[in-house]
Coordinates of all heavy atoms in Angstrom, one line a residue:
K120 N 0.5 14.4 4.6 CA 1.2 15.4 5.5 C 2.0 16.3 4.6 O 2.1 17.5 5.1 CB 2.0 14.6 6.5 CG 1.3 14.0 7.7 CD 2.2 13.4 8.7 CE 1.4 12.8 9.9 NZ 2.3 12.2 10.9
A121 N 2.5 15.9 3.5 CA 3.2 16.8 2.7 C 2.4 17.8 2.1 O 2.7 19.0 2.0 CB 3.9 15.9 1.6
A122 N 1.1 17.4 1.7 CA 0.2 18.4 1.2 C -0.2 19.4 2.2 O -0.3 20.6 2.0 CB -1.1 17.6 0.7
R123 N -0.4 18.9 3.5 CA -0.8 19.9 4.6 C 0.4 20.8 4.9 O 0.3 22.0 5.2 CB -1.2 19.1 5.8 CG -1.6 19.9 7.0 CD -2.0 19.2 8.2 NE -1.0 18.4 8.8 CZ -1.1 17.7 9.9 NH1 -2.2 17.7 10.5 NH2 0.0 17.1 10.5
R124 N 1.6 20.3 4.9 CA 2.8 21.1 5.3 C 3.0 22.3 4.4 O 3.4 23.3 4.8 CB 4.0 20.2 5.3 CG 5.3 20.8 5.8 CD 6.5 19.9 6.0 NE 6.8 19.2 4.7 CZ 6.6 17.9 4.5 NH1 5.9 17.2 5.3 NH2 7.0 17.4 3.3
R125 N 2.8 22.1 3.1 CA 3.0 23.1 2.1 C 1.8 24.1 1.9 O 2.0 25.0 1.2 CB 3.5 22.5 0.7 CG 4.8 21.7 0.8 CD 5.9 22.7 1.2 NE 7.2 22.0 1.0 CZ 8.4 22.4 1.6 NH1 8.4 23.5 2.2 NH2 9.5 21.7 1.3
H126 N 0.6 23.7 2.4 CA -0.6 24.4 2.1 C -0.4 25.9 2.6 O 0.2 26.1 3.7 CB -1.7 23.7 2.8 CG -3.0 24.3 2.4 ND1 -3.7 25.3 3.1 CD2 -3.9 24.0 1.4 CE1 -4.8 25.7 2.5 NE2 -5.0 24.9 1.5
P127 N -0.8 26.8 1.9 CA -1.7 26.8 0.7 C -0.9 26.7 -0.6 O -1.5 26.7 -1.7 CB -2.5 28.1 0.7 CG -1.5 29.1 1.4 CD -0.7 28.3 2.4
S128 N 0.4 26.6 -0.5 CA 1.2 26.4 -1.7 C 1.1 25.0 -2.2 O 0.9 24.1 -1.5 CB 2.7 26.8 -1.5 OG 2.8 28.1 -1.0
A129 N 1.3 24.8 -3.5 CA 1.3 23.5 -4.1 C 2.6 22.9 -3.8 O 3.6 23.5 -3.8 CB 1.1 23.6 -5.6
V130 N 2.7 21.6 -3.5 CA 3.9 20.8 -3.2 C 4.6 20.6 -4.6 O 5.8 20.7 -4.6 CB 3.6 19.5 -2.5 CG1 4.9 18.8 -2.2 CG2 2.8 19.8 -1.3
L131 N 3.9 20.2 -5.6 CA 4.5 19.8 -6.8 C 4.5 20.8 -7.9 O 3.5 21.5 -8.2 CB 3.7 18.6 -7.3 CG 3.6 17.4 -6.5 CD1 2.6 16.3 -7.1 CD2 4.9 16.7 -6.3
P132 N 5.6 21.0 -8.5 CA 5.7 21.9 -9.7 C 4.8 21.2 -10.8 O 4.5 20.1 -10.9 CB 7.1 21.8 -10.2 CG 7.9 21.3 -9.0 CD 7.0 20.5 -8.2
T133 N 4.2 22.2 -11.7 CA 3.2 21.6 -12.6 C 3.8 20.7 -13.6 O 3.1 19.7 -14.1 CB 2.7 22.8 -13.5 OG1 3.9 23.6 -14.0 CG2 2.0 23.8 -12.6
D134 N 5.1 20.6 -13.9 CA 5.7 19.8 -14.9 C 5.8 18.3 -14.3 O 6.2 17.4 -15.1 CB 7.0 20.3 -15.5 CG 8.0 20.8 -14.4 OD1 7.6 21.0 -13.2 OD2 9.1 21.2 -14.8
V135 N 5.6 18.1 -13.0 CA 5.6 16.7 -12.6 C 4.2 16.2 -12.1 O 4.1 15.0 -11.6 CB 6.7 16.5 -11.4 CG1 8.1 16.8 -12.0 CG2 6.4 17.3 -10.2
Q136 N 3.3 17.1 -12.1 CA 2.0 16.7 -11.5 C 1.4 15.5 -12.2 O 0.7 14.7 -11.6 CB 1.0 17.9 -11.5 CG 1.4 18.9 -10.5 CD 0.4 20.1 -10.4 OE1 -0.6 20.1 -11.2 NE2 0.7 21.1 -9.6
A137 N 1.4 15.5 -13.6 CA 0.9 14.4 -14.4 C 1.5 13.0 -14.0 O 0.8 12.0 -13.9 CB 1.1 14.7 -15.8
Y138 N 2.8 13.1 -13.7 CA 3.4 11.8 -13.3 C 2.8 11.4 -11.9 O 2.6 10.2 -11.8 CB 5.0 12.0 -13.1 CG 5.6 12.4 -14.4 CD1 6.2 13.6 -14.5 CD2 5.6 11.5 -15.5 CE1 6.8 14.1 -15.7 CE2 6.3 12.0 -16.7 CZ 6.8 13.1 -16.8 OH 7.4 13.5 -18.0
F139 N 2.6 12.3 -11.0 CA 2.1 11.8 -9.7 C 0.6 11.5 -9.8 O 0.1 10.6 -9.1 CB 2.3 12.9 -8.7 CG 3.6 13.0 -8.1 CD1 4.7 13.7 -8.6 CD2 4.0 12.1 -7.0 CE1 6.0 13.7 -8.1 CE2 5.2 12.1 -6.5 CZ 6.3 12.9 -7.0
A140 N -0.1 12.1 -10.7 CA -1.5 11.6 -11.0 C -1.5 10.2 -11.4 O -2.3 9.4 -11.0 CB -2.2 12.5 -12.0
E141 N -0.7 9.9 -12.3 CA -0.6 8.4 -12.8 C -0.1 7.5 -11.8 O -0.5 6.4 -11.6 CB 0.3 8.4 -14.0 CG 0.4 7.0 -14.7 CD -1.0 6.5 -15.1 OE1 -1.9 7.2 -15.3 OE2 -1.0 5.2 -15.1
M142 N 0.9 7.9 -11.0 CA 1.4 7.1 -9.9 C 0.3 6.8 -8.8 O 0.2 5.7 -8.3 CB 2.6 7.7 -9.1 CG 3.8 7.8 -10.1 SD 5.2 8.8 -9.4 CE 6.0 7.6 -8.3
G143 N -0.5 7.9 -8.6 CA -1.7 7.7 -7.7 C -2.7 6.7 -8.3 O -3.2 5.8 -7.5
N144 N -2.8 6.8 -9.5 CA -3.8 5.8 -10.2 C -3.3 4.4 -10.1 O -4.1 3.5 -9.8 CB -4.0 6.1 -11.7 CG -4.8 7.4 -11.9 OD1 -5.7 7.8 -11.1 ND2 -4.7 8.0 -13.0
I145 N -2.1 4.2 -10.3 CA -1.4 2.8 -10.2 C -1.5 2.3 -8.7 O -1.9 1.2 -8.5 CB 0.0 2.9 -10.6 CG1 0.1 3.1 -12.2 CG2 0.7 1.5 -10.3 CD1 1.5 3.4 -12.7
A146 N -1.3 3.2 -7.8 CA -1.3 2.8 -6.4 C -2.7 2.4 -6.0 O -2.9 1.3 -5.4 CB -0.8 4.0 -5.5
V147 N -3.7 3.1 -6.4 CA -5.1 2.7 -6.1 C -5.4 1.4 -6.8 O -6.1 0.5 -6.2 CB -6.1 3.9 -6.5 CG1 -7.5 3.4 -6.4 CG2 -5.8 5.1 -5.7
R148 N -5.0 1.2 -8.0 CA -5.2 0.0 -8.7 C -4.6 -1.2 -8.0 O -5.2 -2.3 -8.0 CB -4.7 0.2 -10.1 CG -5.2 -1.0 -11.1 CD -4.9 -0.7 -12.5 NE -3.5 -0.9 -13.0 CZ -2.7 0.0 -13.5 NH1 -3.1 1.3 -13.6 NH2 -1.5 -0.3 -13.8
L149 N -3.4 -1.0 -7.6 CA -2.7 -2.1 -6.9 C -3.5 -2.4 -5.6 O -3.6 -3.6 -5.2 CB -1.3 -1.6 -6.5 CG -0.3 -1.8 -7.7 CD1 1.0 -1.0 -7.3 CD2 0.0 -3.3 -7.9
A150 N -3.9 -1.5 -4.8 CA -4.6 -1.7 -3.6 C -5.9 -2.5 -3.9 O -6.2 -3.4 -3.1 CB -4.9 -0.5 -2.9
K151 N -6.6 -2.1 -4.9 CA -7.8 -2.9 -5.3 C -7.5 -4.3 -5.7 O -8.2 -5.3 -5.4 CB -8.5 -2.2 -6.5 CG -9.2 -0.9 -6.0 CD -9.9 -0.2 -7.2 CE -10.5 1.1 -6.8 NZ -11.2 1.8 -7.9
S152 N -6.4 -4.5 -6.4 CA -6.0 -5.8 -6.9 C -5.6 -6.7 -5.7 O -5.9 -7.9 -5.7 CB -4.8 -5.7 -7.9 OG -5.2 -5.0 -9.0
V153 N -4.9 -6.0 -4.7 CA -4.5 -6.8 -3.5 C -5.8 -7.4 -2.8 O -5.8 -8.5 -2.4 CB -3.8 -5.9 -2.5 CG1 -3.7 -6.5 -1.2 CG2 -2.4 -5.7 -3.1
G154 N -6.8 -6.6 -2.7 CA -8.0 -6.9 -2.1 C -8.7 -8.2 -2.8 O -9.1 -9.1 -2.2

Side-chain angles (χ1 to χ4, degrees):
K120 285 185 173 180
R123 182 178 68 177
R124 183 172 62 252
R125 296 297 189 195
H126 190 271
S128 299
V130 181
L131 300 172
T133 55
D134 44 354
V135 296
Q136 288 184 3
Y138 299 115
F139 278 93
E141 182 58 23
M142 291 171 84
N144 288 335
I145 294 170
V147 173
R148 190 167 81 237
L149 278 166
K151 291 179 179 178
S152 296
V153 164

